[in-house]
Amino acid sequence: MKTDPKQRKANSYYNRFSRVYDLVSSKAYYHKARSRAIEELNLEKGTRILNVPVGTGQNFEYFQSYLEDTGLILGVDISPGMLMKAKKKIGRNNWSNIVLLNRNVLDIDTFLVAEYTKNNGFDAILCDLGLSGFPEWKKVIDTLVSLLSVNGRIAIMDWYIDKPTLRGEFIKWIGKGEVDRPLWQYLETKVTDFYLDASFNRGGVFVASGSRK
């Protein structure tokens, strides 16, 4: 698994952070934004979803309300600690349609796509609270869009605070990422049917989505 020194340092941090992640980054805090992002994916029974970074699996409950344990949820994360928490959620709920992979998203290749989607690509991709921390975030967006099926949907939920504030500095400290990257602006150039709502969490969190061109 290819990682640069900054990413390895972040991995070590998130392995430790996973122990308290669901308390610090609570379901209630991101509920409205997360619900909207998942609505934008147009999910239904049988949908093949890629969720990266999957974290502790906070999206599983939302996904399953549409899929009802059908289709596929492929959760990818570079942190073993986060994946361990996600695995426990799967076990407690006896979900059978979720696969977890400890991998860098940039290492997802055509062979992996073929294995899980029969070369058709993913119907839906959710990237939440990850791009603000990925060093090569533009490459990540490019990769994710390329993994979509024809007319597949991608949604991003993340932070965007373009001017320096104490709140922004706190989020950067907690998440070990950046909050002023033009994530949705870049996504807009890569998709059709672009959608944006930047009103969540007092204007600090956005949801952006679109379809593969």
Side-chain angles (χ1 to χ4, degrees):
M1 188 162 50
K2 301 175 183 177
T3 56
D4 62 22
K6 287 184 179 179
Q7 189 68 67
R8 286 195 294 271
K9 185 176 180 181
N11 296 349
S12 177
Y13 170 78
Y14 271 96
N15 282 334
R16 299 190 304 273
F17 191 29
S18 66
R19 302 167 190 168
V20 297
Y21 185 84
D22 287 336
L23 294 175
V24 176
S25 183
S26 68
K27 175 183 175 180
Y29 188 71
Y30 289 107
H31 174 68
K32 289 184 178 179
R34 180 169 277 121
S35 296
R36 189 70 191 106
I38 292 173
E39 285 176 10
E40 282 296 303
L41 295 176
N42 298 332
L43 302 181
E44 57 187 23
K45 287 184 178 180
T47 298
R48 298 160 301 184
I49 305 170
L50 173 63
N51 185 196
V52 57
V54 71
T56 63
Q58 290 188 346
N59 294 311
F60 293 161
E61 183 179 347
Y62 295 84
F63 291 150
Q64 298 290 22
S65 68
Y66 295 91
L67 271 62
E68 298 180 7
D69 211 24
T70 66
L72 169 71
I73 301 168
L74 180 62
V76 177
D77 205 290
I78 207 166
S79 165
M82 291 289 185
L83 290 173
M84 186 177 299
K85 292 286 187 178
K87 186 176 181 179
K88 290 181 179 178
K89 286 188 175 73
I90 295 171
R92 286 198 300 268
N93 291 278
N94 295 313
W95 288 320
S96 63
N97 63 337
I98 304 176
V99 177
L100 300 177
L101 290 180
N102 180 211
R103 186 171 298 205
N104 187 323
V105 63
L106 293 178
D107 292 335
I108 297 178
D109 54 26
T110 55
F111 295 103
L112 185 67
V113 175
E115 179 179 355
Y116 291 106
T117 73
K118 298 181 180 179
N119 280 327
N120 294 319
F122 292 96
D123 304 310
I125 295 178
L126 176 62
C127 185
D128 58 318
L129 303 175
L131 286 168
S132 53
F134 291 141
E136 298 179 282
W137 60 271
K138 287 185 178 180
K139 286 186 179 180
V140 172
I141 292 176
D142 291 342
T143 296
L144 294 179
V145 171
S146 74
L147 297 176
L148 284 170
S149 63
V150 176
N151 297 319
R153 296 282 295 172
I154 181 172
I156 295 173
M157 181 192 84
D158 219 313
W159 285 89
Y160 182 63
I161 302 175
D162 60 344
K163 297 179 181 180
T165 64
L166 289 176
R167 183 188 185 202
E169 290 302 313
F170 177 74
I171 297 300
K172 287 169 62 176
W173 176 73
I174 287 290
K176 304 306 180 195
E178 302 297 331
V179 296
D180 59 352
R181 290 175 175 172
L183 302 174
W184 63 259
Q185 295 92 328
Y186 187 74
L187 178 67
E188 186 175 11
T189 68
K190 300 294 179 177
V191 296
T192 61
D193 302 321
F194 179 75
Y195 164 87
L196 172 69
D197 187 338
S199 66
F200 302 100
N201 298 74
R202 293 184 290 134
V205 173
F206 72 88
V207 169
S209 66
S211 302
R212 181 170 180 174
K213 291 182 178 180

